[in-house]
């Protein structure tokens, strides 16, 4: 193992016997694993700080050519500064480029899946080998827990799992995740309830369904509205007026 040490404002590495293995020339050090370290150092010719990867003996593994490197399991989200235009790609730990440095942004959806945004501001999904999972048709992707992510297209939501499998195509006005990964969705004029196995449990026929409080929903048929609970039990009669938020 190695330990970082600081001298005159920069960092170096020493081993557990307190022997120096890397001189203190680095502005930033971040371990990737027990063998590799992300490092940043000043490049005098261009007077800029660049990122690369060194091993625990101080040997350069990935050259200091990058604007920034961000670790994600056994991959690095890499970026370059192309005339003040930051471009992103994916690099393996041996320096092999898995996704070219051409994207406006790349976000890790999981250890194996990446959301890459192109110059037209459309997002696609790729696996860690650079193979495309979903073409660049998404407006954005929202990452959250339970190994699921919202995929957005033209204001509609879909659902993608942590392996990049599209569980629901982007076409829903509303998706709510409940306990046990049960998913409730709203695709006008139907309110759909999916189980954790992503099978349709039931469909509720309304023109519109909107959240109205904890486990409460305002539903509309024509010009009449009513209030229901999460079990689709009618709490009020359908009346031709707006029910306020509860």
């Amino acid at each position: 193992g190695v330990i970082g040490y600081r001298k005159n404002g920069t960092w170096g590495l020493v081993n557990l016997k307190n022997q120096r293995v890397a001189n203190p020339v680095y502005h930033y050090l971040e371990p990737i694993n027990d063998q590799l370290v992300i490092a940043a150092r000043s490049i005098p010719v261009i007077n800029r700080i660049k990122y690369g990867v060194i091993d625990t003996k101080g040997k350069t593994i990935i050259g200091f050519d990058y604007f920034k490197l961000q670790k994600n399991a056994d991959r690095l989200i890499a970026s370059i500064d192309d005339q003040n235009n930051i471009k992103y790609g994916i690099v393996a730990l041996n320096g092999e480029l898995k996704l070219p440095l051409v994207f406006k942004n790349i976000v890790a959806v999981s250890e194996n899946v990446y959301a890459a945004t192109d110059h037209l501001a459309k997002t696609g999904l790729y696996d860690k080998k650079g193979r495309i999972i979903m073409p660049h048709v998404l407006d954005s992707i929202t990452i959250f827990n339970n190994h699921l992510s919202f995929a957005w297209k033209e204001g509609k939501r879909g659902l993608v799992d942590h392996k990049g499998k599209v569980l629901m195509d982007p076409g829903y006005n509303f998706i709510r995740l409940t306990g046990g990964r049960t998913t409730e969705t709203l695709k006008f004029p139907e309110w759909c309830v999916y189980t954790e196995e992503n099978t349709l449990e039931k469909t509720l026929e309304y023109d519109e369904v909107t959240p109205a409080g904890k486990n409460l929903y305002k539903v509309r048929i024509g010009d009449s509205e009513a209030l229901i609970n999460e079990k689709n039990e009618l709490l009020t009669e359908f009346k031709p007026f707006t029910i306020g938020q509860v």
Side-chain angles (χ1 to χ4, degrees):
V2 294
I3 300 172
Y5 75 96
R6 191 174 186 183
K7 183 178 180 180
N8 298 327
T10 52
W11 292 86
L13 294 173
V14 295
N15 60 27
L16 298 182
K17 296 180 180 180
N18 203 31
Q19 297 170 327
R20 181 186 295 179
V21 295
N23 291 326
V25 296
Y26 302 104
H27 294 267
Y28 177 84
L29 293 173
E30 179 188 1
I32 299 174
N33 51 38
D34 58 359
Q35 297 293 326
L36 299 175
V37 179
I38 295 174
R41 64 181 300 172
S42 179
I43 308 299
V45 177
I46 59 175
N47 195 29
R48 285 190 177 184
I49 293 175
K50 293 283 189 176
Y51 282 70
V53 172
I54 61 175
D55 64 15
T56 52
K57 295 180 181 179
K59 179 184 176 181
T60 299
I61 304 300
I62 297 177
F64 288 83
D65 302 317
Y66 295 98
F67 179 75
K68 197 165 186 182
L69 293 172
Q70 177 186 342
K71 67 176 181 178
N72 184 59
D74 60 351
R75 293 291 184 265
L76 299 169
I77 299 176
S79 58
I80 57 172
D81 186 352
D82 183 10
Q83 298 179 347
N84 294 322
N85 184 17
I86 307 301
K87 297 180 179 180
Y88 293 82
I90 299 295
V91 178
L93 298 185
N94 63 0
E96 181 183 355
L97 200 60
K98 294 297 183 180
L99 270 184
L101 293 150
V102 297
F103 297 99
K104 290 184 65 175
N105 193 28
I106 292 180
V107 177
V109 177
S110 68
E111 291 186 355
N112 301 304
V113 179
Y114 297 88
T117 303
D118 64 16
H119 67 287
L120 297 176
K122 292 296 182 180
T123 298
L125 296 178
Y126 295 82
D127 67 15
K128 69 177 187 177
K129 294 183 179 180
R131 297 176 301 198
I132 192 163
I133 297 170
M134 177 181 285
H136 287 258
V137 296
L138 301 176
D139 296 323
S140 63
I141 190 163
T142 303
I143 302 165
F144 52 95
N145 53 16
N146 289 331
H147 305 292
L148 296 171
S149 298
F150 284 136
W152 296 82
K153 180 183 178 183
E154 298 175 355
K156 304 291 186 180
R157 304 182 193 190
L159 208 59
V160 178
D161 71 10
H162 69 290
K163 295 181 179 179
K165 181 181 179 182
V166 180
L167 302 178
M168 299 176 187
D169 289 320
Y172 295 88
N173 291 61
F174 178 75
I175 295 176
R176 185 167 75 95
L177 301 180
T178 58
R181 285 187 60 176
T182 298
T183 308
E184 295 177 338
T185 67
L186 174 62
K187 188 174 184 178
F188 299 143
E190 295 179 344
W191 170 266
C192 307
V193 179
Y194 289 85
T195 67
E196 60 185 278
E197 289 81 20
N198 196 38
T199 57
L200 184 63
E201 187 175 62
K202 58 184 175 181
T203 300
L204 312 178
E205 296 287 344
Y206 297 109
D207 293 331
E208 184 176 359
V209 179
T210 55
K214 185 177 181 181
N215 299 326
L216 297 175
Y217 302 92
K218 182 172 67 174
V219 295
R220 179 178 63 82
I221 298 178
D223 295 328
S224 297
E225 294 180 327
L227 204 64
I228 64 171
N229 60 20
E230 61 181 356
K231 297 180 180 179
N232 194 32
E233 296 171 336
L234 200 62
L235 303 180
T236 66
E237 296 180 359
F238 276 93
K239 294 183 180 180
F241 60 84
T242 300
I243 298 174
Q245 292 290 100
V246 175

